[in-house]
Amino acid sequence: MAVTIRWLGHSAYALNIDGHKLLVDPFVSGNPMAKAVAKDLDAEVILLTHAHGDHVGDSVEIAKRTGALVVCNFEMGDWYTQHGVQNVYQGNPGGTYRNDWMSAKWTIAFHSSSFPDGTYGGQPNGFVIRGGGAVIYHAGDTCLFSDMRLIGDEGLDVALLPIGDCFTMGIDDSIKAVELLRPRIVSPMHYNTFPPIEQDVGAWAERVTAETEAEPVVLEPDGEMTL
Ligand code: NI
Ligand code: MN
C-alpha cells in the first residue's frame, strides 16, 4: 500500500494515493482547526459528501485553480457547473466513480444538504474509497445506521467517522458504528471545530480500544497516517 491520509481538520482530508492527490470535503478557510492554507492545496480529484459550508469549503477555488475533477451528487454537480467549475462527475448512492488510480462509491448518509446560498444540495452521502491497495470509508455527516454492516462487508482498512454529536452521531453511537463497520483502523472527525461539537477524543479512543476490535488513530490537525 502507498496511501497517506492527512487530516486537515473537521471532515477535510488530503489523501496521497500512489503519488496522486485526492481531497475530501476541503474546508480550510474559516476552519479554526485547520493549519493548511487553501492556496497550498492541490488535487486531481475532490470528493464532496454534501453541500453544507463546512464541507464544500474551499472546493470551488481549488477546483478552478487546479482543474481538479469534482465528484459529488447530482444536484451539487449542477451547482458547481453553474458556478464555473466545468470538470464535474455526478453520482448518487450505489454508484461508483473510477479512474486508473482510485475509485469512490457513494454510500448513504442520514443528514441534510443545502449550499450556504440556500440552493438544494441533493442527498448527503459518504464514500468508500479504494486506491493504493487500501479501502477507506469516509462517512460524511451522518447518524448511526444499521446498513453500516453492509459497508463493513467492503473490508475496510480505515473508517473516518464523525463523533461530534449534535449534527452527526456522537461518541456512544460511533462505538456501535465501529462494531458494524469492523475497520482495522478508526479515526475521528467532525469534532472540536465549533463549541456544539466539542468532545473528549481521549475518552473516545479508550472506548474504541476497550469495546471494539479496531485500532483508534487520533490525528492532530495536519497530522497524517500512512497505510
Ligand atoms: Ni453537514
Ligand atoms: Mn458538517
Side-chain angles (χ1 to χ4, degrees), residues 16 42 83-84 90 168 212 226:
N16 188 307
D42 195 7
H83 287 75
Q90 294 164 285
T168 68
T212 81
T226 299

Side-chain angles (χ1 to χ4, degrees), residues 131-168:
V135 184
I136 299 159
Y137 171 52
H138 186 299
D141 280 4
T142 187
C143 62
L144 172 70
F145 54 92
S146 61
D147 283 354
M148 284 181 170
R149 184 179 302 282
L150 296 175
I151 297 171
D153 289 346
E154 305 264 353
L156 304 177
D157 294 293
V158 179
L160 305 171
L161 293 184
I163 67 161
D165 211 332
C166 190
F167 305 110
T168 68

Side-chain angles (χ1 to χ4, degrees), residues 57-103:
D58 299 286
S59 57
V60 171
E61 184 275 316
I62 297 168
K64 286 181 177 175
R65 174 169 49 80
T66 65
L69 177 68
V70 171
V71 175
C72 59
N73 76 37
F74 186 82
E75 288 77 7
M76 290 178 73
D78 285 351
W79 185 94
Y80 277 90
T81 302
Q82 288 159 11
H83 287 75
V85 176
Q86 296 307 321
N87 202 12
V88 172
Y89 186 96
Q90 294 164 285
N92 261 327
T96 302
Y97 161 77
R98 296 177 180 87
N99 62 30
D100 60 3
W101 53 274
M102 56 82 67
S103 68

Side-chain angles (χ1 to χ4, degrees), residues 113-143:
S113 178
S114 53
F115 284 93
D117 67 7
T119 304
Y120 173 60
Q123 273 202 44
N125 55 268
F127 288 103
V128 173
I129 302 161
R130 291 175 188 273
V135 184
I136 299 159
Y137 171 52
H138 186 299
D141 280 4
T142 187
C143 62

Side-chain angles (χ1 to χ4, degrees), residues 50 52 54-55 111-112 141 167-168 190:
H50 62 295
H52 287 156
D54 59 321
H55 298 260
H111 192 62
S112 56
D141 280 4
F167 305 110
T168 68
H190 213 273

Side-chain angles (χ1 to χ4, degrees), residues 26 122 184 205 221:
R184 190 161 60 79

